[in-house]
Amino acid sequence: MLQPIKVLHLSASDKGGAFVIAEGLVDNMQNAAVIARHSIFSGAQQTISLSKIKLFDKLFKFCLHAWEKLILLFYEKDSSVRFKYSLGKPGI
């Protein structure tokens, strides 16, 4: 007997085109008898988090943010523009 296909779509937030497309894919897959689920990291429809332990979750996010800012220090030429933008490398 064949096992049904299980698909999990992960999105960073509940805004934007990627979220809308993933929602549409999940709907279509469920209509085709595929077990599909869509989980997001942040937003009003939050269904997934990095950890069940909120302290660890906050610590992890802080470490990613600090790592990104540390990287910027090596590229800046003028300290007046420090932290005006995000590299987006950590994904948070």
Side-chain angles (χ1 to χ4, degrees):
M1 184 172 159
L2 293 173
Q3 295 292 327
I5 296 173
K6 296 179 181 179
V7 178
L8 174 64
H9 294 273
L10 298 173
S11 296
S13 74
D14 62 351
K15 295 179 178 71
F19 172 78
V20 173
I21 295 297
E23 282 291 305
L25 285 171
V26 168
D27 290 341
N28 289 330
M29 287 180 175
Q30 288 174 344
N31 292 336
V34 175
I35 299 171
R37 200 172 133 213
H38 187 197
S39 293
I40 59 173
F41 178 72
S42 65
Q45 303 174 23
Q46 187 170 3
T47 59
I48 192 170
S49 63
L50 291 177
S51 170
K52 299 276 186 209
I53 305 168
K54 292 297 180 190
L55 178 63
F56 178 75
D57 190 37
K58 288 181 181 181
L59 179 65
F60 184 75
K61 289 176 186 176
F62 174 78
C63 289
L64 286 175
H65 177 75
W67 175 69
E68 181 180 23
K69 298 308 177 189
L70 182 66
I71 290 172
L72 285 174
L73 291 177
F74 294 105
Y75 295 107
E76 75 177 3
K77 294 186 177 170
D78 181 12
S79 62
S80 68
V81 295
R82 183 177 293 168
F83 310 138
K84 297 267 183 183
Y85 66 95
S86 170
L87 291 177
K89 287 187 179 184
I92 300 292

